[in-house]
């Protein structure tokens, strides 16, 4: 199945420096999906009656969404590619996704939005780690 992310990467005239295009595509897509899930989760948390107990979840969701969006943006730019910046962003994204998944999992039994968010975070964490490993 072709996606917009893949289509855009395929049209890029810049050299991707041997980056695994499939892993890159999966990672960008996972980052975008995770950012959306985290944004929706924090909004749902704000609608819950026990909002005080969800403060850390809300904050972690917001941080994760911001870092996932930034990572997707960095990964989408290839002109003047800097592998050190890419590695740093991927490491940060995997770290925040792990933390967000762990926080959301604490509430997953009571809130389906936290369960869904945790799953998106785990997928993004794995995609970031896969791409990192492929960079060598």
């Amino acid at each position: 199945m072709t996606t917009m992310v893949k289509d855009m990467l395929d049209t890029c005239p810049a050299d991707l420096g041997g980056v695994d295009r499939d892993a890159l595509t999966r990672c960008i897509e996972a980052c975008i999906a995770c950012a959306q899930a985290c944004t929706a989760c924090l909004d749902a948390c704000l609608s819950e009656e026990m909002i005080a107990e969800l403060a850390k979840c809300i904050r972690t969701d917001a941080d994760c969404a911001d870092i996932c969006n930034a990572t997707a943006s960095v990964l989408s730019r290839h002109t003047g590619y800097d592998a050190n910046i890419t590695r740093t962003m991927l490491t940060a994204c995997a770290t925040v996704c792990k933390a967000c998944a762990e926080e959301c999992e604490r509430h997953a039994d009571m809130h389906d939005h936290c369960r869904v968010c945790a799953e998106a975070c785990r997928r993004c964490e794995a995609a970031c780690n896969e791409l990192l490993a492929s960079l060598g």
Side-chain angles (χ1 to χ4, degrees):
M1 179 173 108
T2 184
T3 65
M4 181 178 41
V5 172
K6 182 179 180 339
D7 289 345
M8 289 306 298
L9 290 174
D10 288 345
T11 64
C12 182
D15 179 17
L16 299 186
V19 173
D20 180 334
R21 286 179 182 257
D22 291 335
L24 179 61
T25 299
R26 284 189 298 276
C27 192
I28 293 169
E29 289 173 344
C31 285
I32 293 166
C34 189
Q36 189 281 328
C38 289
T39 300
C41 186
L42 77 85
D43 183 67
C45 285
L46 289 170
S47 298
E48 296 290 349
E49 290 181 19
M50 53 184 284
I51 193 168
E53 291 85 355
L54 295 169
K56 184 175 180 187
C57 190
I58 293 165
R59 171 60 191 263
T60 307
D61 281 338
D63 290 345
C64 194
D66 288 346
I67 292 171
C68 286
N69 278 322
T71 302
S73 293
V74 168
L75 294 176
S76 296
R77 294 189 288 264
H78 302 284
T79 304
Y81 171 76
D82 186 328
N84 291 324
I85 292 171
T86 299
R87 282 187 195 92
T88 300
M89 291 300 295
L90 288 168
T91 300
C93 193
T95 299
V96 75
C97 285
K98 182 178 190 300
C100 193
E102 289 171 356
E103 180 59 30
C104 281
E105 286 165 352
R106 292 181 52 232
H107 311 285
D109 288 343
M110 294 182 353
H111 306 293
D112 280 339
H113 53 84
C114 287
R115 177 188 52 76
V116 171
C117 187
E119 291 168 1
C121 289
R122 292 291 184 200
R123 281 190 299 275
C124 190
E125 177 189 8
C128 287
N129 285 330
E130 175 191 8
L131 184 55
L132 258 173
S134 78
L135 295 177

